Amino acid sequence: MKPRLPVSLGRGFTLFWIGQTVSMVGDRVTVFVVPTLMIFVLHESALQVGIVAMAQYLGIPLLGPVAGVLVDRWNKRWTMLACDLVRLVAVSVIPLAYWQGWLSTPLLFGCVAVVSGATIFFTVGYLVAVPAVVSEQEHLVRAYSRLEGSGSVAEVAGPSIAAGLYSAFGVAALLVDAASYLVSAVCFRSMRPWGERTIVPGSVWERLTVGFRLNWADPVLRRVVVAAVTLNCGGPVFVTVLPILAYRGLGLSVGIFGAAMSVAAVGALIGAVVAPKISERLGIGRALAWALLLHCLVGLGVLAAPALSSGPVIAVTMGCYGFFMSCINVCSAPIRQSRISAQNQGVIHAAFRSVTWGVIPVAALVGGLAVTLLTGSLGILDAARVTMTGGTLLAAFSFLSAVRVQPLLDAAERQSAQAEGTEPPTGTEPELADSAS
């Protein structure tokens, strides 16, 4: 019996997938190297690490809304290619500054902020790109699963690659990320045309507001927005403080921490592979809700260190953490995509990202500030543990909003069945109830 080959999603998606897979691996190098540079080369405090982490997301509330309007009016493919080139230059500045002797925290902040700004425009195009390049729309969940799988592979390979490159070449490791943006740009250049400008009525202000209004008016989108905001109020606290806990609280070396994070990311890869099956069995909305809750609660596993060996504790904890994060990402995007018209994709995605990611800079800053304030009385280890626990428990409340998504999706499906003249299952209600509003 011949093995079943993966379903082809078209040449356009294949090029997109290749470019993003390479770029994701490069991104993990930068995410790993920048805080490592700050801790070991610049000897900065937890607060300063948090400030630079904040820069990674600072552009979202500032540029996110207008990005949706502009990307709708621009050619999406060429916009994403240009964003790759801007990020290539910004990342390359960091090693050049180091070699010239003027590397500093403000410069790192500026470079990270530029990358963040370009990424905002890129991400709006990314969310439009997937349905545009997938050959069959019923394969959207499969496409998002493959992209999430690539992200998980990057999580697996990235920290080990980053640790090895940093150990061998120091700050020059960042040139790997710069080169990955070039690969992504070449893939976009090789695609057939897609993502032409969308001609829509209304002024810039009207288009800015329509994205927020449509996200809130739809009961499913509203619950996904609230869940994502809650998650991102606490989750970035955990992620920002993790390298501080590992390096300064637990005394791990760069190599051990990198290896632990790579082993941990195997869970994220498994999550990307099995998420479609989980969503089929439980329902995509129900799978999203439980993934949100479990993603947060497993983060408490870091409290087992240093009573247990720190490296394995971080690896196992973050493996489970990544598994459920993959499930969240695979389920969330198709849910939102199913509720969005083609005409308004850009502004709705941009509004969603602006609101849900706009809280991340504040959360990252709060994480670094909390550790700094608590270190004097608790010590760096306990200060990091208390801060990460608080962020994790706050993020877990995202479950309360997401738990109502599946009933709303079921009600919408029954309405659709009635409109097509088929009978809904016995004992079900036909209305799209929104009693929890």
Side-chain angles (χ1 to χ4, degrees):
M1 182 177 178
K2 292 183 179 180
R4 294 177 60 186
L5 297 176
V7 175
S8 174
L9 303 183
R11 178 179 180 273
F13 176 78
T14 300
L15 284 169
F16 182 79
W17 188 18
I18 291 171
Q20 295 317 296
T21 299
V22 173
S23 181
M24 288 173 185
V25 173
D27 289 344
R28 299 315 303 170
V29 174
T30 296
V31 168
F32 186 93
V33 169
V34 167
T36 302
L37 279 175
M38 294 190 69
I39 292 171
F40 289 110
V41 176
L42 299 178
H43 306 290
E44 301 290 18
S45 68
L47 176 60
Q48 289 165 313
V49 173
I51 290 173
V52 172
M54 177 184 70
Q56 184 179 356
Y57 303 98
L58 188 61
I60 294 171
L62 300 178
L63 297 176
V66 72
V69 176
L70 295 178
V71 172
D72 269 344
R73 297 172 185 230
W74 296 342
N75 183 290
K76 282 76 170 174
R77 181 168 69 99
W78 287 107
T79 298
M80 297 175 78
L81 190 156
C83 289
D84 276 333
L85 296 180
V86 169
R87 294 187 291 182
L88 184 158
V89 173
V91 171
S92 298
V93 165
I94 299 174
L96 290 175
Y98 175 78
W99 293 326
Q100 294 299 316
W102 33 272
L103 180 66
S104 65
T105 296
L107 184 138
L108 280 175
F109 182 96
C111 290
V112 171
V114 170
V115 171
S116 170
T119 300
I120 291 164
F121 285 87
F122 185 92
T123 302
V124 174
Y126 182 99
L127 294 169
V128 175
V130 178
V133 300
V134 172
S135 57
E136 301 290 341
Q137 294 304 294
E138 61 265 26
H139 292 152
L140 271 179
V141 172
R142 195 183 301 273
Y144 283 115
S145 177
R146 291 183 187 181
L147 287 165
E148 189 64 26
S150 294
S152 300
V153 169
E155 294 282 352
V156 172
S160 288
I161 292 173
L165 290 172
Y166 182 80
S167 298
F169 304 110
V171 70
L174 292 171
L175 296 179
V176 172
D177 190 17
S180 75
Y181 289 129
L182 181 60
V183 172
S184 177
V186 170
C187 287
F188 281 117
R189 180 66 180 83
S190 303
M191 290 180 184
R192 294 174 180 171
W194 61 269
E196 291 79 7
R197 295 171 57 189
T198 303
I199 307 300
V200 292
S203 66
V204 171
W205 176 252
E206 289 172 339
R207 296 298 295 164
L208 280 172
T209 57
V210 73
F212 294 97
R213 179 168 52 80
L214 292 177
N215 269 293
W216 193 254
D218 185 283
V220 173
L221 293 179
R222 180 165 67 250
R223 278 167 176 75
V224 175
V225 167
V226 172
V229 168
T230 308
L231 178 68
N232 288 340
C233 283
V237 173
F238 182 96
V239 174
T240 299
V241 176
L242 180 61
I244 299 170
L245 173 79
Y247 291 141
R248 290 183 173 164
L250 300 174
L252 296 181
S253 68
V254 173
I256 292 176
F257 182 56
M261 293 299 290
S262 288
V263 173
V266 173
L269 177 59
I270 296 172
V273 172
V274 304
K277 296 180 180 179
I278 294 174
S279 67
E280 289 175 6
R281 182 177 293 272
L282 298 180
I284 193 168
R286 195 171 293 112
L288 172 66
W290 285 104
L292 282 165
L293 180 63
L294 295 173
H295 165 73
C296 299
L297 295 183
V298 297
L300 297 176
V302 295
L303 298 178
L308 301 177
S309 182
S310 300
V313 165
I314 291 179
V316 172
T317 299
M318 296 306 294
C320 297
Y321 197 80
F323 175 91
F324 292 113
M325 189 72 249
S326 289
C327 293
I328 293 168
N329 291 337
V330 169
C331 294
S332 174
I335 288 173
R336 291 189 292 111
Q337 196 72 48
S338 69
R339 313 289 294 188
I340 299 173
S341 65
Q343 185 183 41
N344 293 312
Q345 285 192 65
V347 292
I348 292 179
H349 285 313
F352 175 85
R353 188 58 60 95
S354 299
V355 173
T356 61
W357 284 41
V359 298
I360 294 179
V362 177
L365 179 62
V366 167
L369 179 61
V371 172
T372 300
L373 295 176
L374 293 173
T375 296
S377 57
L378 300 179
I380 187 67
L381 175 60
D382 285 339
R385 284 154 55 98
V386 167
T387 301
M388 293 173 76
T389 299
T392 297
L393 294 177
L394 172 60
F397 282 97
S398 58
F399 172 80
L400 299 179
S401 178
V403 75
R404 277 286 297 160
V405 168
Q406 188 62 51
L408 291 170
L409 291 175
D410 291 340
E413 185 176 352
R414 292 193 294 270
Q415 281 188 336
S416 177
Q418 282 188 323
E420 294 174 0
T422 59
E423 291 294 328
T426 303
T428 58
E429 294 294 332
E431 291 80 11
L432 181 56
D434 191 19
S435 59
S437 299

